[in-house]
Coordinates of all heavy atoms in Angstrom, one line a residue:
P1 N 0.8 -1.2 0.0 CA 0.0 0.0 0.0 C 0.9 1.3 0.0 O 2.0 1.2 0.4 CB -0.8 -0.1 1.3 CG 0.1 -0.9 2.2 CD 0.8 -1.9 1.3
L2 N 0.3 2.4 -0.5 CA 1.0 3.6 -0.4 C 0.9 4.2 1.0 O -0.2 4.5 1.5 CB 0.3 4.6 -1.4 CG 1.0 5.9 -1.7 CD1 2.4 5.7 -2.3 CD2 0.2 6.8 -2.6
V3 N 2.0 4.3 1.7 CA 1.9 4.7 3.1 C 2.9 5.8 3.3 O 3.9 5.9 2.6 CB 2.3 3.5 4.1 CG1 1.2 2.4 3.9 CG2 3.6 3.0 3.8
P4 N 2.7 6.7 4.4 CA 3.6 7.7 4.7 C 5.0 7.2 5.2 O 5.0 6.1 5.9 CB 2.9 8.5 5.8 CG 1.5 8.0 5.8 CD 1.5 6.7 5.2
S5 N 6.1 7.8 4.9 CA 7.4 7.4 5.4 C 7.8 8.2 6.6 O 7.3 9.2 6.9 CB 8.4 7.6 4.3 OG 8.6 9.0 4.0
L6 N 8.8 7.7 7.3 CA 9.4 8.4 8.4 C 10.0 9.7 8.0 O 9.8 10.7 8.8 CB 10.5 7.5 9.1 CG 11.2 8.1 10.3 CD1 10.2 8.4 11.4 CD2 12.2 7.1 10.9
A7 N 10.6 9.8 6.9 CA 11.2 11.0 6.4 C 10.1 12.1 6.3 O 10.3 13.3 6.7 CB 11.8 10.8 5.0
G8 N 8.9 11.7 5.8 CA 7.8 12.7 5.6 C 7.3 13.2 7.0 O 7.0 14.3 7.2
L9 N 7.3 12.2 8.0 CA 6.9 12.6 9.3 C 7.8 13.6 10.0 O 7.4 14.5 10.6 CB 6.8 11.3 10.2 CG 5.8 11.3 11.3 CD1 4.4 11.5 10.8 CD2 5.9 9.9 12.1
I10 N 9.1 13.4 9.7 CA 10.1 14.3 10.3 C 10.0 15.7 9.8 O 10.3 16.7 10.5 CB 11.6 13.7 10.1 CG1 11.7 12.5 10.9 CG2 12.6 14.7 10.4 CD1 13.0 11.7 10.7
D11 N 9.5 15.9 8.5 CA 9.2 17.2 8.0 C 8.3 18.0 8.9 O 8.5 19.2 9.1 CB 8.6 17.1 6.6 CG 9.5 16.6 5.5 OD1 10.8 16.6 5.7 OD2 9.0 16.1 4.5
G12 N 7.3 17.3 9.5 CA 6.4 17.9 10.4 C 7.0 18.1 11.8 O 6.5 18.9 12.6
L13 N 8.0 17.3 12.2 CA 8.6 17.5 13.5 C 9.5 18.7 13.6 O 9.7 19.2 14.7 CB 9.5 16.2 13.8 CG 8.8 14.9 14.3 CD1 9.8 13.8 14.3 CD2 8.1 15.2 15.7
V14 N 9.9 19.2 12.5 CA 10.9 20.3 12.5 C 10.4 21.5 13.2 O 11.1 22.1 14.1 CB 11.4 20.6 11.1 CG1 12.2 21.9 11.1 CG2 12.2 19.5 10.5
G15 N 9.2 21.9 12.9 CA 8.5 23.1 13.6 C 9.4 24.3 13.6 O 9.9 24.8 12.6
N16 N 9.7 24.8 14.9 CA 10.5 26.0 15.0 C 11.9 25.7 15.3 O 12.7 26.6 15.8 CB 9.9 26.9 16.1 CG 9.7 26.2 17.4 OD1 10.1 25.1 17.6 ND2 9.0 26.9 18.3
G17 N 12.4 24.5 15.0 CA 13.8 24.2 15.1 C 14.3 23.7 16.4 O 15.5 23.5 16.6
H18 N 13.5 23.5 17.4 CA 13.9 22.9 18.7 C 12.6 22.3 19.3 O 11.5 22.5 18.9 CB 14.5 24.0 19.6 CG 13.6 25.1 19.9 ND1 12.7 25.1 20.9 CD2 13.4 26.3 19.3 CE1 12.0 26.2 21.0 NE2 12.5 27.0 20.0
G19 N 12.9 21.6 20.4 CA 11.8 21.0 21.1 C 12.1 19.6 21.6 O 13.1 19.0 21.3
L20 N 11.1 19.0 22.4 CA 11.3 17.7 23.0 C 10.5 16.7 22.1 O 9.3 16.9 21.9 CB 10.8 17.7 24.4 CG 10.8 16.4 25.2 CD1 12.2 15.8 25.3 CD2 10.1 16.5 26.5
I21 N 11.2 15.6 21.7 CA 10.5 14.5 21.0 C 10.7 13.2 21.8 O 11.8 12.8 22.1 CB 11.2 14.3 19.6 CG1 11.0 15.6 18.8 CG2 10.6 13.1 18.9 CD1 11.8 15.7 17.5
M22 N 9.6 12.6 22.1 CA 9.7 11.3 23.0 C 9.1 10.2 22.2 O 7.9 10.3 21.7 CB 8.9 11.5 24.3 CG 9.3 12.7 25.1 SD 8.1 13.1 26.4 CE 8.8 12.3 27.8
T23 N 9.8 9.1 22.0 CA 9.3 7.9 21.4 C 8.8 7.0 22.5 O 9.5 6.8 23.5 CB 10.3 7.1 20.5 OG1 11.4 6.8 21.4 CG2 10.8 8.0 19.4
M24 N 7.6 6.5 22.3 CA 6.9 5.7 23.4 C 6.3 4.5 22.9 O 5.8 4.4 21.8 CB 5.9 6.6 24.0 CG 5.2 6.1 25.3 SD 4.1 7.3 26.0 CE 3.6 6.4 27.5
G25 N 6.4 3.4 23.7 CA 5.7 2.1 23.3 C 6.2 1.0 24.2 O 7.0 1.2 25.1
K26 N 5.6 -0.1 24.1 CA 5.9 -1.3 24.9 C 7.3 -1.8 24.5 O 7.9 -1.4 23.4 CB 4.9 -2.4 24.7 CG 3.5 -2.0 25.3 CD 3.5 -2.0 26.8 CE 2.2 -1.8 27.4 NZ 2.1 -1.9 28.8

């Protein structure tokens, strides 16, 4: 299937160039 990539997601993480990113899961 056509699915979004991690690279595309990181485009949205950039925001104002700083911040806290937390990966969470079992």
Side-chain angles (χ1 to χ4, degrees):
L2 188 64
V3 298
S5 68
L6 180 57
L9 208 58
I10 292 173
D11 292 340
L13 279 172
V14 169
N16 53 9
H18 62 83
L20 176 63
I21 298 166
M22 303 166 99
T23 59
M24 186 172 183
K26 292 288 185 174

